[in-house]
Amino acid sequence: MTKSGLVSKVASGPARYVLSDATGLRRIVGALPTFAPRWEPIFQVLWGMHAALEAVSGGELRQPQVALSRRVHELAAPRLAAGLPSFPTVAPERFVDAMQEWTVARRGARQR
């Protein structure tokens, strides 16, 4: 990239480079995305749901729906900040399965 003039080396010693030709780099890389996800709350929600669902599926909780419902409530603000869809509203006996489906669907959407 230095030979092409896109970046320039500054100072001697450890390699430090600066962008010299942003226009040329855009020609190679293409346009920047118009949307930049807020990764911190996305990861907070997905990791929180993953941990909660793991505890629920381990059978170590006497009231899995209650524990999962608490986690959903705790993750409401980061879910909104992340721009993720609402958590499903379902009957209590279907709650754990619905939350697992919601989490897997979000994870799959982010991998694309």
Side-chain angles (χ1 to χ4, degrees):
M1 292 176 75
T2 306
K3 289 181 183 179
S4 70
L6 293 175
V7 296
S8 301
K9 186 174 180 182
V10 291
S12 59
R16 283 192 51 215
Y17 297 88
V18 295
L19 182 62
S20 300
D21 183 6
T23 304
L25 185 61
R26 281 192 197 98
R27 279 190 215 121
I28 295 170
V29 176
L32 294 175
T34 57
F35 172 72
R38 297 189 62 205
W39 290 110
E40 185 178 342
I42 290 171
F43 289 136
Q44 184 179 0
V45 171
L46 293 180
W47 180 253
M49 289 306 300
H50 172 75
L53 289 166
E54 196 170 84
V56 165
S57 68
E60 57 205 55
L61 302 175
R62 290 191 307 174
Q63 296 180 314
Q65 288 90 348
V66 173
L68 192 54
S69 179
R70 282 187 191 133
R71 180 55 62 106
V72 164
H73 180 71
E74 293 167 357
L75 295 173
R79 184 198 56 77
L80 283 171
L84 293 170
S86 297
F87 292 123
T89 304
V90 295
E93 64 273 4
R94 174 96 177 84
F95 187 66
V96 173
D97 290 337
M99 292 311 301
Q100 185 172 15
E101 291 166 6
W102 184 95
T103 303
V104 169
R106 303 296 75 77
R107 192 177 123 221
R110 295 294 170 201
Q111 289 178 347
R112 290 184 197 134

